[in-house]
Amino acid sequence: MANSKYEYVKSFEVEDEVMFPNLIVVRIDGRHFRRFSEVHEFVKPNDEKALNLMNFCAMVMLEEYPDIVFAYGFSDEFSFVFKKTSKIYQRRASKVLSIIVSFFTSLYISKWREFFPRRDLKYCPSFHAQVISCASIEVLQAYLLWRQNVCHINNQYDECYWRLVKRGMTGMEAQAYLAAEKRDKNDVLFDEFSFNYNILEDIFRQGSCVFKAEVEDIVKYNEEGPVKRLRRKTKIVHSKKIASKSFWKEHPILLKELGSFVEEIDKVKPEYYIRSFEFENKLMPSTWIIIRIDGCHFHRFSELHEFEKPNDERALNLMNSCAMAVLEEFQDMVFSYGVSDEYSFVLRKNSYLYQRRASEIVSSVVSFFTSMYVMRWKDFFQEKVLKYPPSFDGRAVCYPSSEILRDYLSWRQVDCHINNQYNSCFWKLVTSGKNKREAQHEMKGAQLQKKLEELGIEYDKILAMFRHGSSIFWDKEDSIVEHHQNGNLSDSHMKKIMLENCDIIGPKFWLEHSSILDEKQ
C-alpha cells in the first residue's frame, strides 16, 4: 500500500488470531433462509435437493482448502473444522471466517442451476459466519454433539409442524399446539400421523458429515496390470453419533488431524457450550465502524477473466453496483468508498447492527457482496463465463472520531491515486513492447509524475473513476410537500443512493454532504 501521512490509521486495526492449541471451527448459517426457502418453494419440511446443494458446496470447500479436514451440516448450516496444526491465513479469525463464507456463498450461487435447473434465483442468498475456538478435542466433541442434537430436535419439530399445517392448521395454530404439547415429538408423529420417525432418511435425521478418506485408486497401468496407491477422496456419510469414539475410530484421518476422543458423552449442558463455543467480539460502542473487503487472489482472477489493464471499467462498475446493493441491504451504512477490488463500508456511529458483533457484521456484508458479484456478473460481462467462484475477505475496524474516519478514507484515496499512477506507467511500458519484468525494473524507484510525463500520459484525462475511486452514499433529495386528509401540509425528505468519482480528501465534498457524518442520525 502507498505511504502517506494517513498511514497511522492502520494502528486502529486489531489482530484477532486464534492462538494454538485451539482448534478452529467456522460455522456458517443461512441469512434469512426461512424467507429464501419459501420464495424458492423448497419442499417442506426438508428439501433433499437443497441439502444436496449444501453438501456439494461443503465437498468443494474441503478440496479448495486442504486445512479443512471435517465438516458437519444440516438444513442451512455447516461447520468446518480445521486441522489442529493449521496456520491458514496465520489463524486470523476475521480473515478465515470471511473467506470461508464468501467462497461458500459464491459456490452456492454458481452451482444452483445444477440442483435446481428449472428454478431461477429470485434474489441473492447470503450467509452469516463465526469462528468457534475449541480449546481441546473434548470441546470439539461437545460442540459436534450439540450441533447434531440441534439437527435432531429441529427436524423432529419441523416434521410435526408441517404435518399439522398440511392437515389444516395455520402456522400460528401449529406453533401453539406444539408449545402446549407435553408428549415427545416422536410420540406426536406416531399417535397423530402413524409415522415412525426412525424410517426418515438419514440425511434429514442425522445431518451430513464431509471429510477426506484414504481409498485405493488406480494411478496407472503397467505390464503387470493396474498400479494402485492410497489417495484422499472427499466423501459424505450420515451417522447417528458423529461425536462418538467409534465413529472417530472408523476414520483414521480424523484421529491423525484432530485427535481422539477419550470418553463418550451423551449430553451437553447449555451453559457449558455457550461459555465454551460462543465467544463474541463486540465492536466498541459509539465508534464509526469500517468494514473493508478485498478480493481474494484477484490478480489471478483478473488475468484469467482477461480484465483490461490498467483498469477495467466493467469490473469497476460491477464492484460499484454490488456496493450500492450493500447500502440498500444494510441501511445503517452511510458511506462507502471503493477502488480496484476493494470496498470500505462505513456504519454510522450509533449503529447497533447485529448488536455490533464483529463476526456477524463482517460475514454478512462479505457474503452479501459476494452473492451480488456472482449474480450480476452477466450484467457487466455478457460474453464472459465466470470460470471459477470469486471470493473476498473482510475485517471490521473502529474509529473514534469523524476526523480519524476521514483520514482513513483519505488513506484509501491516496492509495488509489498512487497505485493508479504506477499502473498507468507500468502497462504503458508493457504495451510499448517491454515484458513485465523489464517494466517492473524500469519503474523501480521512479518518480511517478515525471514518469507519466516521459511516457506522454495525460493523467488528468484518465477517467475520474480510475483516478479518484468511487464514493457511494445516501443523500437527501429535494423536499416533497405532502398533503394530508386533514388539510395539513408537511415536508418530507426522500433519501437516494448517490455515486460520485471525486476528491474526498479535501473539505469540499464533506461540506457539501455534511449529513453523511452527522453523528445525530
Side-chain angles (χ1 to χ4, degrees):
M1 291 184 180
N3 292 319
S4 72
K5 68 178 182 179
Y6 304 110
E7 289 282 308
Y8 79 92
V9 298
K10 290 194 291 186
S11 64
F12 288 86
E13 297 182 7
V14 178
E15 293 299 342
D16 51 354
E17 181 181 349
V18 180
M19 302 299 291
F20 285 109
N22 292 328
L23 292 160
I24 297 173
V25 179
V26 175
R27 185 168 83 238
I28 67 167
D29 297 272
R31 182 172 166 267
H32 306 318
F33 250 62
R34 180 181 292 276
R35 173 173 170 259
F36 181 84
S37 66
E38 290 174 356
V39 169
H40 293 90
E41 300 176 343
F42 284 5
V43 176
K44 301 296 184 183
N46 293 291
D47 190 305
E48 192 166 1
K49 289 181 181 178
L51 293 177
N52 286 334
L53 171 56
M54 292 286 292
N55 290 347
F56 179 84
C57 293
M59 291 181 71
V60 178
M61 294 292 293
L62 265 70
E63 292 165 2
E64 181 74 12
Y65 300 99
D67 277 17
I68 301 175
V69 293
F70 182 77
Y72 173 72
F74 60 94
S75 185
D76 60 342
E77 89 165 47
F78 246 104
S79 296
F80 297 97
V81 184
F82 291 74
K83 64 183 181 182
K84 58 188 175 184
T85 58
S86 176
K87 293 182 180 179
I88 185 169
Y89 302 117
Q90 299 305 305
R91 300 173 69 89
R92 297 197 301 276
S94 59
K95 187 152 189 170
V96 174
L97 79 87
S98 59
I99 289 177
I100 293 302
V101 75
S102 178
F103 190 70
F104 190 95
T105 303
S106 201
L107 280 170
Y108 191 93
I109 300 166
S110 300
K111 300 299 179 182
W112 173 268
R113 278 289 185 191
E114 295 182 20
F115 293 85
F116 296 97
R118 295 183 179 87
R119 213 173 293 177
D120 291 332
L121 271 172
K122 296 181 180 179
Y123 70 91
C124 62
S126 58
F127 297 82
H128 303 290
Q130 71 177 115
V131 168
I132 295 94
S133 178
C134 293
S136 66
I137 187 66
E138 289 77 23
V139 176
L140 175 63
Q141 182 184 22
Y143 173 81
L144 294 174
L145 176 62
W146 169 40
R147 298 321 299 156
Q148 191 164 44
N149 282 346
V150 171
C151 167
H152 175 69
I153 292 168
N154 288 356
N155 193 58
Q156 280 188 325
Y157 181 92
D158 289 345
E159 284 288 337
C160 293
Y161 174 86
W162 286 105
R163 288 172 187 272
L164 290 169
V165 169
K166 289 174 183 177
R167 194 165 69 179
M169 285 188 181
T170 66
M172 292 184 66
E173 288 171 342
Q175 287 176 353
Y177 176 87
L178 291 172
E181 182 57 63
K182 301 300 183 184
R183 287 176 294 172
D184 182 88
K185 298 296 183 293
N186 275 2
D187 293 336
V188 172
L189 287 169
F190 189 79
D191 295 343
E192 299 291 334
F193 304 102
S194 301
F195 179 74
N196 182 354
Y197 180 75
N198 292 322
I199 67 171
L200 194 67
E201 289 89 337
D202 291 346
I203 189 174
F204 304 147
R205 289 185 297 111
Q206 299 168 358
S208 300
C209 300
V210 184
F211 55 91
K212 289 183 179 178
E214 290 189 335
V215 296
E216 272 196 339
D217 199 11
I218 298 173
V219 294
K220 64 179 181 180
Y221 291 87
N222 58 24
E223 295 176 353
E224 298 175 358
V227 177
K228 296 182 179 180
R229 288 181 188 166
L230 285 176
R231 285 190 172 179
R232 288 186 177 182
K233 285 195 172 182
T234 306
K235 62 185 293 187
I236 296 175
V237 300
H238 309 290
S239 175
K240 188 175 182 180
K241 293 185 177 181
I242 63 170
S244 66
K245 291 168 64 176
S246 58
F247 177 79
W248 230 240
K249 285 179 180 178
E250 287 174 13
H251 309 290
I253 188 172
L254 302 181
L255 295 173
K256 178 183 176 182
E257 300 289 9
L258 296 170
S260 59
F261 298 149
V262 178
E263 298 177 352
E264 297 287 6
I265 57 173
D266 294 320
K267 293 182 179 180
V268 180
K269 294 181 180 179
E271 62 271 21
Y272 171 75
Y273 66 65
I274 289 173
R275 284 200 305 269
S276 299
F277 310 144
E278 299 207 323
F279 172 78
E280 280 295 349
N281 177 23
K282 288 196 174 184
L283 298 169
M284 189 179 297
S286 300
T287 57
W288 297 98
I289 300 171
I290 288 280
I291 307 299
R292 187 170 78 241
I293 68 170
D294 294 274
C296 187
H297 306 307
F298 251 62
H299 181 74
R300 171 175 168 258
F301 182 84
S302 66
E303 287 187 346
L304 188 62
H305 291 92
E306 299 175 336
F307 283 6
E308 293 178 8
K309 302 296 183 180
N311 296 288
D312 191 303
E313 189 173 356
R314 295 168 302 174
L316 293 177
N317 284 332
L318 171 55
M319 292 287 292
N320 292 342
S321 174
C322 297
M324 294 176 80
V326 169
L327 261 68
E328 290 173 350
E329 180 75 9
F330 303 94
Q331 297 203 5
D332 275 11
M333 290 179 178
V334 295
F335 185 82
S336 63
Y337 175 76
V339 56
S340 185
D341 62 340
E342 84 167 48
Y343 243 100
S344 296
F345 297 95
V346 181
L347 275 167
R348 57 187 173 84
K349 205 170 184 179
N350 62 352
S351 172
Y352 209 59
L353 179 66
Y354 297 128
Q355 291 73 53
R356 297 178 78 91
R357 294 194 298 269
S359 61
E360 196 151 7
I361 295 172
V362 171
S363 61
S364 297
V365 173
V366 170
S367 179
F368 185 81
F369 189 97
T370 305
S371 191
M372 295 304 303
Y373 193 94
V374 177
M375 288 192 69
R376 292 186 175 179
W377 173 266
K378 275 293 183 185
D379 295 340
F380 296 86
F381 294 95
Q382 293 90 347
E383 77 290 356
K384 287 186 180 178
V385 175
L386 197 57
K387 296 183 179 179
Y388 70 91
S391 58
F392 298 81
D393 68 55
R395 65 170 58 200
V397 187
C398 294
Y399 294 102
S401 69
S402 56
E403 291 77 18
I404 298 174
L405 173 65
R406 279 186 55 185
D407 282 352
Y408 167 85
L409 296 169
S410 297
W411 170 49
R412 301 317 308 134
Q413 190 163 57
V414 168
D415 199 57
C416 165
H417 176 66
I418 293 175
N419 287 346
N420 192 59
Q421 283 189 325
Y422 179 94
N423 290 333
S424 296
C425 294
F426 175 85
W427 287 103
K428 180 75 172 183
L429 291 169
V430 171
T431 55
S432 67
K434 294 183 182 294
N435 61 41
K436 291 181 181 179
R437 181 172 293 182
E438 290 170 337
Q440 285 174 342
H441 180 75
E442 186 166 332
M443 289 299 298
K444 190 175 181 179
Q447 292 184 352
L448 293 177
Q449 191 61 46
K450 186 177 179 181
K451 200 67 181 175
L452 287 166
E453 293 172 3
E454 286 178 9
L455 295 172
I457 298 173
E458 297 182 83
Y459 190 72
D460 290 342
K461 292 186 178 180
I462 291 175
L463 199 65
M465 180 167 60
F466 303 157
R467 292 182 287 114
H468 294 306
S470 298
S471 297
I472 298 173
F473 52 94
W474 289 102
D475 200 21
K476 290 180 180 178
E477 291 182 343
D478 295 335
S479 62
I480 299 172
V481 177
E482 292 185 349
H483 297 265
H484 300 281
Q485 288 183 348
N486 60 10
N488 293 334
L489 302 177
S490 64
D491 284 345
S492 63
H493 294 273
M494 300 294 292
K495 291 203 306 180
K496 61 179 179 179
I497 292 180
M498 304 287 290
L499 188 156
E500 292 188 9
N501 308 114
C502 59
D503 172 39
I504 59 171
I505 298 174
K508 181 181 178 183
F509 174 85
W510 300 106
L511 289 171
E512 291 176 349
H513 305 286
S514 57
S515 62
I516 294 174
L517 300 184
D518 183 0
E519 297 184 12
K520 295 179 182 179
Q521 289 189 82

PDB file of all heavy atoms in Angstrom, residues 28 39 138 181 235 335 337 341 403 430:
ATOM      1  N   ILE A  28     -21.137 -21.593   9.371  1.00  0.00           N
ATOM      2  CA  ILE A  28     -21.924 -20.674   8.552  1.00  0.00           C
ATOM      3  C   ILE A  28     -23.396 -21.037   8.672  1.00  0.00           C
ATOM      4  O   ILE A  28     -23.741 -22.214   8.844  1.00  0.00           O
ATOM      5  CB  ILE A  28     -21.480 -20.699   7.072  1.00  0.00           C
ATOM      6  CG1 ILE A  28     -21.806 -22.043   6.420  1.00  0.00           C
ATOM      7  CG2 ILE A  28     -19.993 -20.387   6.926  1.00  0.00           C
ATOM      8  CD1 ILE A  28     -21.679 -22.024   4.925  1.00  0.00           C
ATOM      9  N   VAL A  39     -39.640 -18.397  -0.814  1.00  0.00           N
ATOM     10  CA  VAL A  39     -39.661 -17.757  -2.134  1.00  0.00           C
ATOM     11  C   VAL A  39     -39.272 -18.747  -3.226  1.00  0.00           C
ATOM     12  O   VAL A  39     -39.832 -18.735  -4.324  1.00  0.00           O
ATOM     13  CB  VAL A  39     -38.722 -16.531  -2.155  1.00  0.00           C
ATOM     14  CG1 VAL A  39     -38.527 -16.006  -3.577  1.00  0.00           C
ATOM     15  CG2 VAL A  39     -39.281 -15.418  -1.266  1.00  0.00           C
ATOM     16  N   GLU A 138     -11.839 -32.414  23.372  1.00  0.00           N
ATOM     17  CA  GLU A 138     -13.050 -32.674  24.147  1.00  0.00           C
ATOM     18  C   GLU A 138     -14.103 -31.585  23.898  1.00  0.00           C
ATOM     19  O   GLU A 138     -15.301 -31.866  23.835  1.00  0.00           O
ATOM     20  CB  GLU A 138     -12.717 -32.746  25.644  1.00  0.00           C
ATOM     21  CG  GLU A 138     -11.952 -33.981  26.071  1.00  0.00           C
ATOM     22  CD  GLU A 138     -10.473 -33.920  25.696  1.00  0.00           C
ATOM     23  OE1 GLU A 138      -9.946 -32.787  25.522  1.00  0.00           O
ATOM     24  OE2 GLU A 138      -9.850 -34.987  25.562  1.00  0.00           O
ATOM     25  N   GLU A 181     -47.955 -28.953  23.796  1.00  0.00           N
ATOM     26  CA  GLU A 181     -47.896 -30.419  23.767  1.00  0.00           C
ATOM     27  C   GLU A 181     -46.784 -30.941  24.684  1.00  0.00           C
ATOM     28  O   GLU A 181     -45.633 -30.518  24.588  1.00  0.00           O
ATOM     29  CB  GLU A 181     -47.669 -30.890  22.340  1.00  0.00           C
ATOM     30  CG  GLU A 181     -47.649 -32.395  22.179  1.00  0.00           C
ATOM     31  CD  GLU A 181     -48.932 -33.033  22.683  1.00  0.00           C
ATOM     32  OE1 GLU A 181     -50.009 -32.737  22.117  1.00  0.00           O
ATOM     33  OE2 GLU A 181     -48.842 -33.816  23.643  1.00  0.00           O
ATOM     34  N   LYS A 235     -15.703 -37.515   0.793  1.00  0.00           N
ATOM     35  CA  LYS A 235     -16.906 -38.337   0.815  1.00  0.00           C
ATOM     36  C   LYS A 235     -17.912 -37.754   1.799  1.00  0.00           C
ATOM     37  O   LYS A 235     -17.567 -36.963   2.682  1.00  0.00           O
ATOM     38  CB  LYS A 235     -16.563 -39.777   1.200  1.00  0.00           C
ATOM     39  CG  LYS A 235     -15.961 -39.939   2.595  1.00  0.00           C
ATOM     40  CD  LYS A 235     -15.537 -41.359   2.879  1.00  0.00           C
ATOM     41  CE  LYS A 235     -16.693 -42.330   2.963  1.00  0.00           C
ATOM     42  NZ  LYS A 235     -16.279 -43.686   3.401  1.00  0.00           N
ATOM     43  N   PHE A 335     -21.933   5.439   4.047  1.00  0.00           N
ATOM     44  CA  PHE A 335     -20.950   5.816   3.021  1.00  0.00           C
ATOM     45  C   PHE A 335     -20.128   4.587   2.665  1.00  0.00           C
ATOM     46  O   PHE A 335     -19.932   3.688   3.486  1.00  0.00           O
ATOM     47  CB  PHE A 335     -20.030   6.916   3.565  1.00  0.00           C
ATOM     48  CG  PHE A 335     -19.060   7.472   2.555  1.00  0.00           C
ATOM     49  CD1 PHE A 335     -19.459   8.448   1.650  1.00  0.00           C
ATOM     50  CD2 PHE A 335     -17.740   7.021   2.499  1.00  0.00           C
ATOM     51  CE1 PHE A 335     -18.559   8.971   0.714  1.00  0.00           C
ATOM     52  CE2 PHE A 335     -16.847   7.523   1.575  1.00  0.00           C
ATOM     53  CZ  PHE A 335     -17.262   8.501   0.682  1.00  0.00           C
ATOM     54  N   TYR A 337     -16.527   3.559   0.044  1.00  0.00           N
ATOM     55  CA  TYR A 337     -15.512   4.015  -0.912  1.00  0.00           C
ATOM     56  C   TYR A 337     -14.822   2.794  -1.494  1.00  0.00           C
ATOM     57  O   TYR A 337     -14.408   1.884  -0.756  1.00  0.00           O
ATOM     58  CB  TYR A 337     -14.479   4.919  -0.234  1.00  0.00           C
ATOM     59  CG  TYR A 337     -13.354   5.296  -1.180  1.00  0.00           C
ATOM     60  CD1 TYR A 337     -13.559   6.247  -2.175  1.00  0.00           C
ATOM     61  CD2 TYR A 337     -12.112   4.657  -1.109  1.00  0.00           C
ATOM     62  CE1 TYR A 337     -12.547   6.571  -3.067  1.00  0.00           C
ATOM     63  CE2 TYR A 337     -11.099   4.980  -2.001  1.00  0.00           C
ATOM     64  CZ  TYR A 337     -11.317   5.930  -2.979  1.00  0.00           C
ATOM     65  OH  TYR A 337     -10.321   6.238  -3.878  1.00  0.00           O
ATOM     66  N   ASP A 341     -10.318  -3.859  -6.465  1.00  0.00           N
ATOM     67  CA  ASP A 341     -11.102  -4.989  -5.947  1.00  0.00           C
ATOM     68  C   ASP A 341     -11.394  -4.836  -4.455  1.00  0.00           C
ATOM     69  O   ASP A 341     -11.615  -5.825  -3.760  1.00  0.00           O
ATOM     70  CB  ASP A 341     -10.375  -6.303  -6.205  1.00  0.00           C
ATOM     71  CG  ASP A 341      -9.023  -6.378  -5.494  1.00  0.00           C
ATOM     72  OD1 ASP A 341      -8.488  -5.308  -5.142  1.00  0.00           O
ATOM     73  OD2 ASP A 341      -8.504  -7.492  -5.303  1.00  0.00           O
ATOM     74  N   GLU A 403     -13.028  12.781  12.318  1.00  0.00           N
ATOM     75  CA  GLU A 403     -11.752  13.252  11.756  1.00  0.00           C
ATOM     76  C   GLU A 403     -10.848  12.074  11.396  1.00  0.00           C
ATOM     77  O   GLU A 403     -10.248  12.043  10.314  1.00  0.00           O
ATOM     78  CB  GLU A 403     -11.035  14.178  12.755  1.00  0.00           C
ATOM     79  CG  GLU A 403     -11.694  15.517  12.981  1.00  0.00           C
ATOM     80  CD  GLU A 403     -12.913  15.441  13.884  1.00  0.00           C
ATOM     81  OE1 GLU A 403     -13.048  14.413  14.607  1.00  0.00           O
ATOM     82  OE2 GLU A 403     -13.735  16.387  13.868  1.00  0.00           O
ATOM     83  N   VAL A 430       4.469  -1.953 -20.854  1.00  0.00           N
ATOM     84  CA  VAL A 430       4.199  -3.301 -21.355  1.00  0.00           C
ATOM     85  C   VAL A 430       3.612  -3.251 -22.759  1.00  0.00           C
ATOM     86  O   VAL A 430       4.028  -4.004 -23.657  1.00  0.00           O
ATOM     87  CB  VAL A 430       3.250  -4.060 -20.396  1.00  0.00           C
ATOM     88  CG1 VAL A 430       2.781  -5.383 -21.026  1.00  0.00           C
ATOM     89  CG2 VAL A 430       3.933  -4.330 -19.060  1.00  0.00           C
TER      90      VAL A 430
END
